[in-house]
Amino acid sequence: MNAHSHRLGERPGPAAQIGGLIFAMILVDGDTRIVEANQAAEIMLGKSAKRMIGSYLSEVLKMMDPRVIERMADNEAALVARDVGMMASGITRRVNLTLSPLGSHPGWRVVTISETGRDDVGNEDQADATSLGAPSILAHEIKNPLAAIRGAGQLAARKLKPEDRPLARMITDEVDRIARLIDRMQQLGSTMAGTVGPCNLHEAIRSAIATVGAAGNDGVDIREEFDPSLPPVLANQDALEQVLINLISNARDAAAGSEEPCVTVKTRFVSGFAFSAIRLGRAIKLPIEVTVTDNGPGIDEALGDHVFEPFVTSKKSGQGLGLALVRKLVRDMAGRISHERDAKAGLTHFRIHLQIAK
């Protein structure tokens, strides 16, 4: 056996195993000071292990839930917390967190952190496909009779008296509206993703702003805050523009009733952002951030955790498919999208994170 084959056959040691984990892992001592942190923790928290070691856990993990903070301070406490808020690198995230005491070393604990919905992203995507597949099939079956109804409405319009023709036009208009809704349902249920490649992010944003502006801004000021040094992103150009049009249009509608209505589209580089993709077996870095912010009243708190689910909407005339489609398109580009309400500042943020094109 040569040296190369021997190395391939060697069993990885504990350090190699910990370093290869795709979720963040931190070791803390009895004083709740950080002793070790793996590479996934460095990526998620935006800090090197060297900078974290020696710091108190509470200084590095800024948790939002006081119950989690209390358990972190107790060096004998175990904890499994799902979908809790955490601030890291200036970004608020929803995470799953565990605290596991080491029986062999009293007071010492292992901490693991993974982003909500990202540690089991494969299952999440599969759930989406299952829940949206049936409506997609149903949509296909509905389209044929709709075409017949529309044709009958057009034929009736030609035979009716002029004063009765608006009723026939109403039939065709409603059929067209339903057909558009079905098209969006089919798009949501599709498992086909568009081809991705290098895209100029700022060109896509400006194109989206121009499209939204062509429909009227309702007096809403749309501002750009761009980092001109950003490299091309890995995305599908058409899908990215569709995502941005939807988000900017929603933000404009939300801000329209404010005293000084404003929408801001901001881009920046966030070095520490990544998500763990089990189906890919690695952490994917998503350092390019686009934030669409409006100063409207925000989304109803009861809907806050469900804004990206199909058929959830706070708009009176909405169908609840826009943000669900946005999430699907962003995921198809291996990106991630999140929603955040800053009640103190009176601002709503939708953040997209994308890969850099290599």
Side-chain angles (χ1 to χ4, degrees):
M1 180 184 294
N2 60 36
H4 178 67
S5 61
H6 176 72
R7 285 196 301 272
L8 289 176
E10 286 180 353
R11 181 176 177 175
Q17 294 177 43
I18 292 170
L21 293 175
I22 60 174
F23 55 84
M25 195 187 85
I26 296 172
L27 176 65
V28 296
D29 64 17
D31 294 325
T32 71
R33 288 183 182 271
I34 295 174
V35 177
E36 289 185 24
N38 69 351
Q39 184 180 20
E42 293 180 313
I43 293 172
M44 174 177 281
L45 302 173
K47 293 183 179 181
S48 67
K50 187 176 181 180
R51 287 181 59 196
M52 285 189 274
I53 290 173
S55 301
Y56 287 106
L57 183 63
S58 58
E59 294 174 343
V60 175
L61 301 186
K62 299 186 182 299
M63 309 305 297
M64 306 301 182
D65 191 322
R67 296 170 298 177
V68 175
I69 296 172
E70 182 181 347
R71 301 287 282 182
M72 283 171 51
D74 181 352
N75 65 6
E76 295 182 355
L79 176 68
V80 176
R82 294 190 64 83
D83 195 22
V84 292
M86 180 188 78
M87 176 72 76
S89 300
I91 300 172
T92 301
R93 302 175 183 175
R94 307 298 297 180
V95 300
N96 301 325
L97 180 140
T98 68
L99 300 173
S100 304
L102 297 177
S104 59
H105 292 69
W108 288 58
R109 288 177 296 175
V110 173
V111 183
T112 68
I113 317 153
S114 58
E115 293 207 57
T116 302
R118 292 170 187 161
D119 53 331
D120 55 354
V121 67
N123 295 335
E124 195 175 69
D125 290 346
Q126 186 177 10
D128 280 350
T130 302
S131 63
L132 294 171
S136 181
I137 294 170
L138 180 61
H140 178 75
E141 294 301 319
I142 291 173
K143 268 194 165 183
N144 289 334
L146 274 182
I149 294 170
R150 191 181 195 284
Q154 290 175 321
L155 182 62
R158 289 197 291 269
K159 295 184 177 181
L160 289 172
K161 297 177 181 178
E163 60 269 25
D164 294 328
R165 286 174 187 168
L167 293 173
R169 281 198 297 272
M170 184 181 72
I171 292 173
T172 57
D173 288 346
E174 284 301 295
V175 167
D176 288 342
R177 183 184 65 80
I178 295 170
R180 289 193 296 272
L181 173 60
I182 289 173
D183 285 340
R184 299 184 83 178
M185 289 174 64
Q186 286 184 306
Q187 195 172 3
L188 265 175
S190 172
T191 57
M192 299 294 290
T195 304
V196 297
C199 292
N200 185 310
L201 177 60
H202 296 145
E203 283 186 6
I205 294 173
R206 289 193 171 109
S207 176
I209 291 174
T211 300
V212 173
N217 283 339
D218 297 327
V220 179
D221 183 20
I222 300 180
R223 302 174 183 173
E224 300 174 1
E225 293 184 10
F226 294 168
D227 178 350
S229 68
L230 292 184
V233 297
L234 186 65
N236 177 282
Q237 185 78 27
D238 291 340
L240 181 57
E241 289 188 16
Q242 185 172 349
V243 164
L244 292 165
I245 288 169
N246 193 299
L247 292 180
I248 295 168
S249 178
N250 284 353
R252 177 204 59 192
D253 293 346
S258 301
E259 187 174 336
E260 296 182 5
C262 179
V263 171
T264 303
V265 186
K266 181 178 180 179
T267 64
R268 65 170 184 160
F269 186 89
V270 186
S271 61
F273 194 92
F275 81 97
S276 300
I278 284 180
R279 63 180 176 178
L280 300 177
R282 60 188 174 89
I284 296 180
K285 295 181 180 179
L286 302 171
I288 306 299
E289 180 182 277
V290 186
T291 304
V292 179
T293 300
D294 70 75
N295 61 350
I299 295 169
D300 186 338
E301 285 188 13
L303 303 179
D305 293 334
H306 307 281
V307 292
F308 296 110
E309 295 176 12
F311 312 112
V312 174
T313 181
S314 59
K315 294 183 178 181
K316 292 181 179 179
S317 59
Q319 297 135 1
L321 292 178
L323 288 177
L325 180 58
V326 162
R327 182 178 66 169
K328 180 189 184 300
L329 294 176
V330 172
R331 281 183 178 174
D332 286 345
M333 296 182 280
R336 284 298 175 265
I337 183 167
S338 61
H339 160 262
E340 174 190 333
R341 175 64 182 174
D342 185 341
K344 187 175 182 180
L347 299 173
T348 299
H349 308 287
F350 279 87
R351 303 187 198 278
I352 302 171
H353 290 92
L354 299 168
Q355 298 181 76
I356 293 175
K358 297 180 180 178

